[in-house]
């Protein structure tokens, strides 16, 4: 794992309200970390795979996908995607996460 990705993951998971985060690299490998025992890394990997499939489908229909956010009952999944299948994802609690912090993390994602 690159030092930049490792540093970003550590920084993201220390953020208030961050439940999990991850990066998908151009070689399709996933690097994830969860902060919750009830949402293990394997579950975040699966969510990111499905998220990538959705983003790819949107791209095939010329729908902009550089920034995507899905809202759920208690959480939001924030994603920044780049050409070539590279993306960074932050899963955050809707009540406790800071919008400014999430924005900063996505802006600084090592893509």
């Amino acid at each position: 794992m690159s030092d930049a990705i490792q540093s970003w993951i550590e920084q993201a998971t220390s953020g208030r309200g961050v439940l999990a985060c991850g990066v998908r690299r151009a070689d399709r490998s996933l690097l994830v970390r969860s902060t919750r025992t009830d949402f293990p890394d394997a579950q975040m990997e699966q969510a990111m795979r499905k998220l990538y499939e959705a983003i790819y489908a949107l791209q095939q229909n010329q729908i902009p996908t550089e920034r995507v956010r899905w809202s759920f009952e208690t959480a939001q999944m924030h994603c920044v995607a780049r050409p070539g299948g590279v993306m960074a994802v932050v899963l955050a609690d809707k009540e406790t996460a800071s919008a400014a912090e999430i924005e900063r993390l996505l802006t600084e994602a090592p893509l």
Side-chain angles (χ1 to χ4, degrees), residues 13-78:
T13 54
S14 68
R16 183 172 166 246
V18 173
L19 307 173
C21 67
V23 172
R24 182 184 193 270
R25 298 189 301 190
D27 66 2
R28 299 181 181 176
S29 64
L30 298 173
L31 306 164
V32 302
R33 184 173 303 156
S34 174
T35 64
R36 305 276 305 258
T37 57
D38 59 339
F39 190 75
D41 290 353
Q43 197 169 355
M44 182 63 175
E45 287 178 4
Q46 182 65 16
M48 286 184 62
R49 282 188 190 92
K50 296 299 181 184
L51 177 61
Y52 175 73
E53 290 173 12
I55 287 173
Y56 182 76
L58 292 169
Q59 289 172 341
Q60 296 304 301
N61 289 290
Q62 286 79 42
I63 297 172
T65 59
E66 184 172 305
R67 293 294 289 272
V68 178
R69 179 180 61 206
W70 268 271
S71 288
F72 304 98
E73 187 175 337
T74 61
Q76 291 182 329
M77 185 172 275
H78 302 264

